[in-house]
Amino acid sequence: METEKKHTEENKKLDKNEIVVDIDHISKSFGTKEVLKDINLQLKRGENVVVLGKSGQGKSVTIQCIVGLLTPDNGTVKVFGDDVAQMNDEQLKELRTKVGFLFQSGALYDSMTVRDNLEFPLTRILKITDQAELDKRVEEALEGVGLTDAIDKLPSDLSGGMRKRAGLARTMIVRPEIMLYDEPTTGLDPITSREISELILDMQKKYKTSAIIITHDMECAKITADRVVIMNEGTYIAEGSFDELKKSDDELVRSFFNETT
Amino acid sequence: MAEQAITGYKRWLESVGEQGVFFKSFFRNIFRGGFEWSEFVRQCYEIGYRSMMLVGITSFIMGLVLILQLRPSMLQMGAESMLPKTLAVSFIREIGPVIIAIICAGKVASGIGAELGSMKVTEQIDAMEVSGANPLQYLVVTRIIATSLMIPLLTIIGDAIGLFGGFLALNFTDDISFSLYFHKCISSLEFIDLFPALVKTIFFGFAIGFVGCYKGYNSNKGTESVGIAANSAVVTASLWIFVIDAVAVQITSLLFYR
Ligand SMILES: Nc1ncnc2c1ncn2[C@@H]1O[C@H](COP(=O)(O)OP(=O)(O)O)[C@@H](O)[C@H]1O
Ligand SMILES: [Mg+2]
C-alpha cells in the first residue's frame, strides 16, 4: 500500500489488472507429437509469473508462441489485446519492440563482440544511429549486469554466467514492457543463479516489466515469482503463490519443491 | 522395398519443394530494401579473401602438373608449341572453374552450413528475428550474393595462377620466356572461352551459397545436426556444380558452336 502511494502517478498508467499477455486455450503439435494440449495463461501488468515443469513439456514452445516465432494450431495468443497470429510483418516488428526474449542459451551472436551484440537490437528495433548514444546505452546496460569489462570480448571468451548476463543485457537494452525468460539460471552455479534472479527482480521493480519466467530452479522461482504455474503433459495442472503450491496436496506439484525443502 | 522407395522419393520431393520455398523467400528478401552492407562486406572478406590461399595453391599445382602430364604426349605428336594454348583453353574453360568451385564447396559451403546450423541450434537465428532483424536478409541474402560474386573472382585469380604454374613447369624444360608464353596463352583465347566460363562460375557460386544456407538454416535443433548440415552442404553443392557444369556445356555449344 505504501509503495503504491509513492508511485501514484505511475500507477495511473499502470493498471495492475490490465492483462498484457492472454494465452487462450492454445494447442500445438509437431508432426504426430502433441506438445501443447491446452494452455491457458494470463499475465497481468507488472507481474512475474514463473512456469515450472519438467523438460520437454513445451514450456519454450509456449513462450515462442507469444512472440510469433511459432504459431499455435488452435486457440489464440493476444499481446496487449492483439492476436499475434493475425499480425503482418510490420506489426510483428512493433510487437517485438515491446516483448523481450531471453533465450535459454543466451543466443549471443558468435561472430560479434559483446558491444556489437548489444548494438544490434538498438540499431534495428529502436533505429538509433548516433554512435555516442549507442555507446552510452551499451555501457549503461552492461553496467546493469556487471559486465563492463567484457565489452569488447567475443562470446566464445565468456563464461556461461557472463553469456547469460550479456544476453540479459541485450534483451533489456530496448526496455521491453514484457520479458520472457527461458530458463535464465539453468546451468549456472548457485551464486550466479541468485545474482541473475535478483537482476530479474530488479528489472521488474525498476522498469515495471511484466515477465514470464521458465525455470527448474526453485530458488529463482522463490525470489522472482508473484505467481507460479506448473505445467505437465501439455497443460497447466496447478497455479498459485510459491508458498501455496509448496503446501499443495497434489504429489506431483509438491515433488517440484522437494529438492529445496 | 517398394514402400521404402516410395517414402524416399516422397522425402526427396518434399526437400525439392522446401528448396523452392527457400529460393522464393531468398529472392523476395533481396528486393526488400535495407540491404545489410556491412555483413555483406564481411562475408566477401570471409569467403573471398580467406579462400584465396587455398585456391591459389591448388590452381598453381594443377597448372604445373597439367603441363608435366601433357608434355610427353604433345612431344610425341610434335605439338609441343601447342602446350600453352592447350593449357589455357582447358584450364580456363573447364578445369579452373570446376576445380575451384569444388574446393570452395568444401570450404565455403560447409562453413556456411555449419555456421548457420549452429546459429540455429543455439537459437541465434530466433534471437535475430525477435531483435527486429530479418535473418533471411541478414544471413542468407548476404551470403548467397557474396558467394555468387566471390567464386567468379576466385576463379579469375585461380586461372591466372594456374597458367603461371604451367609457365614454371614449361620453363624447367623448354626455357620459354614469360612474355612469349603469356602471348601464346592469351592469343589462343577467344570470347567463347572466357565468357561462358565466367557465367558458369556465377552459378557455381550461387549453388555453393544457396546450398550452404539452405542446409544450415533448415537444420534441426540438435547438436549433431550441425555436422549433418555441414556435410550434406558439401555433398549437395558438389553435385550441383557438376550438374550445372554439364548443363552449361550443353547450352554453350548450342549457342556458340553451330
Ligand atoms: N520447432 C520445433 N519443431 C519440432 N519440434 C519441436 C520444435 N520446438 C520444440 N519441439 C519439440 O517440442 C517439445 C517441447 O519442447 P520445449 O518447449 O523446448 O520443451 P521445454 O519445456 O523443455 O522448454 C520437445 O519434444 C521438442 O522436441
Ligand atoms: Mg525449453
Side-chain angles (χ1 to χ4, degrees):
Chain A
M1 269 310 182
E2 276 178 34
T3 48
E4 268 186 36
K5 267 177 207 160
K6 277 182 207 160
H7 300 291
T8 36
E9 272 194 43
E10 271 155 358
N11 276 331
K12 263 182 222 160
K13 282 185 288 176
L14 297 173
D15 176 2
K16 285 264 153 119
N17 288 317
E18 185 197 350
I19 290 172
V20 289
V21 176
D22 184 2
I23 300 177
D24 188 13
H25 297 287
I26 61 167
S27 63
K28 176 84 186 168
S29 304
F30 293 106
T32 53
K33 193 167 162 197
E34 199 176 18
V35 177
L36 302 182
K37 288 191 185 123
D38 181 22
I39 296 289
N40 202 36
L41 176 72
Q42 280 76 36
L43 178 69
K44 297 201 188 90
R45 171 87 66 184
E47 180 189 39
N48 276 352
V49 171
V50 166
V51 177
L52 296 173
K54 289 183 289 189
S55 48
Q57 298 289 322
K59 303 185 298 294
S60 303
V61 170
T62 311
I63 56 171
Q64 282 175 13
C65 290
I66 299 175
V67 283
L69 285 174
L70 292 172
T71 311
D73 300 334
N74 293 300
T76 54
V77 178
K78 286 184 182 156
V79 181
F80 298 114
D82 298 320
D83 186 351
V84 177
Q86 305 292 326
M87 290 181 181
N88 60 29
D89 281 1
E90 282 310 303
Q91 289 166 315
L92 270 178
K93 241 183 178 171
E94 172 76 23
L95 168 79
R96 287 162 183 171
T97 64
K98 296 183 199 146
V99 184
F101 198 123
L102 179 67
F103 288 89
Q104 200 163 331
S105 53
L108 295 176
Y109 309 129
D110 290 330
S111 57
M112 301 180 201
T113 61
V114 171
R115 182 198 297 275
D116 293 339
N117 261 286
L118 266 67
E119 280 181 7
F120 197 88
L122 285 179
T123 50
R124 277 147 220 284
I125 292 185
L126 301 183
K127 310 235 181 288
I128 299 172
T129 46
D130 178 32
Q131 191 59 45
E133 172 77 15
L134 285 173
D135 288 344
K136 198 185 116 226
R137 292 219 190 191
V138 168
E139 277 157 28
E140 225 174 71
L142 284 177
E143 219 164 277
V145 296
L147 261 190
T148 340
D149 299 337
I151 188 162
D152 288 316
K153 286 192 175 149
L154 282 170
S156 51
D157 300 329
L158 302 181
S159 70
M162 289 161 94
R163 280 158 163 263
K164 271 269 163 67
R165 279 192 237 193
L168 194 58
R170 188 181 67 186
T171 316
M172 292 299 182
I173 202 165
V174 292
R175 303 272 160 76
E177 292 171 53
I178 300 169
M179 278 294 308
L180 308 171
Y181 300 94
D182 196 348
E183 306 197 10
T185 60
T186 302
L188 303 180
D189 61 273
I191 298 168
T192 317
S193 294
R194 181 184 279 260
E195 283 170 5
I196 299 269
S197 305
E198 260 143 28
L199 275 173
I200 293 174
L201 199 61
D202 277 355
M203 288 302 153
Q204 184 198 19
K205 294 220 175 97
K206 235 184 181 152
Y207 303 119
K208 308 278 180 292
T209 51
S210 327
I212 295 178
I213 301 148
I214 292 175
T215 189
H216 306 285
D217 174 4
M218 296 318 290
E219 172 142 24
C220 170
K222 192 174 179 178
I223 294 173
T224 56
D226 295 318
R227 184 155 63 100
V228 177
V229 294
I230 292 179
M231 185 170 176
N232 196 43
E233 295 184 342
T235 53
Y236 289 145
I237 56 167
E239 177 178 351
S241 75
F242 187 87
D243 294 320
E244 277 167 28
L245 290 182
K246 201 169 164 179
K247 293 185 212 111
S248 166
D249 300 330
D250 191 304
E251 205 172 312
L252 184 61
V253 172
R254 257 200 338 266
S255 69
F256 282 95
F257 298 84
N258 278 345
E259 297 161 59
T260 49
T261 48
Chain B
M1 267 309 274
E3 252 173 49
Q4 264 180 350
I6 288 171
T7 50
Y9 184 65
K10 260 189 194 158
R11 206 167 302 139
W12 182 77
L13 272 183
E14 261 171 34
S15 91
V16 170
E18 274 172 24
Q19 287 183 41
V21 171
F22 193 69
F23 179 78
K24 223 172 83 186
S25 49
F26 155 73
F27 210 70
R28 214 175 322 125
N29 276 296
I30 301 180
F31 303 107
R32 247 219 183 125
F35 186 72
E36 301 280 354
W37 281 103
S38 65
E39 176 68 6
F40 170 70
V41 171
R42 195 177 75 87
Q43 285 309 318
C44 286
Y45 173 80
E46 290 282 329
I47 293 162
Y49 185 76
R50 292 264 175 104
S51 310
M52 206 104 96
M53 196 66 165
L54 189 64
V55 166
I57 292 173
T58 325
S59 306
F60 179 79
I61 293 174
M62 282 308 292
L64 193 104
V65 167
L66 272 173
I67 287 289
L68 295 180
Q69 297 272 41
L70 282 171
R71 195 168 173 278
S73 35
M74 295 292 257
L75 260 182
Q76 257 177 11
M77 291 188 282
E80 209 190 342
S81 64
M82 295 282 282
L83 268 173
K85 179 187 165 85
T86 314
L87 180 71
V89 169
S90 60
F91 206 93
I92 284 172
R93 265 199 201 165
E94 190 58 36
I95 296 170
V98 171
I99 291 280
I100 289 164
I102 291 293
I103 289 208
C104 289
K107 185 172 182 338
V108 177
S110 68
I112 293 176
E115 188 190 11
L116 296 199
S118 78
M119 288 186 79
K120 175 90 178 216
V121 172
T122 57
E123 301 172 308
Q124 290 174 55
I125 291 183
D126 287 339
M128 219 165 244
E129 185 136 13
V130 297
S131 287
N134 179 340
L136 272 170
Q137 214 168 17
Y138 190 86
L139 300 170
V140 174
V141 170
T142 52
R143 279 165 178 74
I144 295 180
I145 294 183
T147 53
S148 305
L149 289 177
M150 287 301 116
I151 304 303
L153 199 66
L154 285 169
T155 308
I156 292 171
I157 296 168
D159 283 348
I161 295 175
L163 293 186
F164 180 69
F167 163 71
L168 284 190
L170 210 55
N171 206 23
F172 285 150
T173 49
D174 294 31
D175 199 26
I176 184 174
S177 82
F178 184 69
S179 63
L180 178 62
Y181 172 82
F182 196 67
H183 178 76
K184 277 188 168 180
C185 283
I186 295 291
S187 63
S188 64
L189 290 172
E190 290 170 41
F191 174 75
I192 53 160
D193 296 318
L194 295 173
F195 182 70
L198 192 66
V199 173
K200 187 161 80 175
T201 59
I202 297 176
F203 284 96
F204 290 165
F206 179 83
I208 289 170
F210 182 80
V211 171
C213 287
Y214 171 76
K215 294 288 180 186
Y217 203 85
N218 291 298
S219 67
N220 294 323
K221 286 194 173 178
T223 16
E224 77 287 349
S225 51
V226 176
I228 296 172
N231 183 268
S232 64
V234 179
V235 175
T236 314
S238 310
L239 203 63
W240 268 115
I241 287 164
F242 286 112
V243 172
I244 292 170
D245 193 45
V247 173
V249 169
Q250 293 299 323
I251 293 175
T252 313
S253 53
L254 270 180
L255 287 178
F256 298 104
Y257 298 109
R258 275 196 303 182

